[in-house]
Structures are given as structure tokens and as C-alpha cells.
């Protein structure tokens, strides 16, 4: 299960979808693509210097100092991750601890 935790100061993803064999897991591939695109988009399309940690089965983005441009990218990421969670509820769980807005 991939757990997506949204707080006022963090966007954290952890775990593995386990929706298919390693290298063939479409849920994991979709989430990984969204995460990598979010990180790169913030770095390339905004002036923000982001604090994030990314590794196998883990992503933590500190959100408390993001610009409105970066928040737009985070919101687009959330649209995608919510759709994946809706389609694969046994593989992706969303937890909102509070509403993240600047």
C-alpha cells in the first residue's frame, strides 16, 4: 500500500503499491511518474529551492515555504494521485491531516 499523507507542512508518500510483480506494477509506475514530475517541475518551472527527500518507496516534500506557482504544481499532482487512489483503493491510501495551503 502506498500511503499519501498530506499535512500543512509536508507531502509524504511511503510504501509500495504491490499491484503487480516488480517492474510490472502499473500503480507504482503511475505514482512514481507523478512524484518525479512534481519534483522536477518545481525545480525547473519555479524559483523555489525545495527541501525534499526521495528514494525507493519514499518521498517527503516540505511544503511550508512553497510559492503559489509551486502550490499549483502540487495541486495538479494531488488531482492525479486522487484519481489513482480512486481507481486503486487497495493500493493507494490518502490521509489528510490538515488542509495544506500557504
Amino acid at each position: 500500500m502506498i500511503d499519501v499523507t498530506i499535512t500543512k507542512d509536508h507531502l509524504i508518500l511511503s510504501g509500495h503499491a504491490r499491484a503487480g510483480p516488480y517492474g510490472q506494477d502499473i500503480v507504482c509506475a503511475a505514482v512514481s511518474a507523478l512524484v518525479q514530475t512534481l519534483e522536477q517541475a518545481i525545480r525547473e518551472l519555479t524559483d523555489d529551492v525545495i527541501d525534499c527527500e526521495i528514494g525507493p518507496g519514499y518521498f517527503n516534500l516540505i511544503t511550508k515555504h512553497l510559492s503559489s506557482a509551486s502550490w499549483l504544481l502540487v495541486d495538479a499532482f494531488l488531482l492525479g494521485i486522487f484519481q489513482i487512489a480512486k481507481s486503486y483503493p487497495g493500493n493507494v491510501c490518502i490521509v489528510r491531516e490538515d488542509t495544506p495551503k500557504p
Side-chain angles (χ1 to χ4, degrees):
M1 174 77 70
I2 296 173
D3 293 312
V4 180
T5 305
I6 305 162
T7 73
K8 184 178 68 135
D9 296 331
H10 295 269
L11 172 62
I12 303 168
L13 286 81
S14 62
H16 297 279
R18 305 203 192 287
Y22 181 80
Q24 298 177 18
D25 187 333
I26 62 169
V27 177
C28 186
V31 171
S32 293
L34 284 177
V35 164
Q36 292 173 32
T37 300
L38 173 62
E39 179 194 17
Q40 199 62 31
I42 293 173
R43 291 185 192 281
E44 298 282 332
L45 302 175
T46 75
D47 293 327
D48 289 357
V49 176
I50 59 171
D51 185 5
C52 75
E53 184 179 349
I54 190 167
Y58 186 76
F59 176 73
N60 180 10
L61 172 66
I62 310 256
T63 59
K64 65 178 159 183
H65 299 297
L66 294 181
S67 67
S68 60
S70 288
W71 271 106
L72 182 61
L73 296 169
V74 170
D75 286 342
F77 166 85
L78 292 174
L79 287 173
I81 204 74
F82 287 149
Q83 286 301 315
I84 293 170
K86 183 178 175 182
S87 296
Y88 297 93
N91 304 100
V92 179
C93 176
I94 309 268
V95 176
R96 264 197 133 122
E97 294 186 359
D98 49 28
T99 303
K101 284 291 175 186

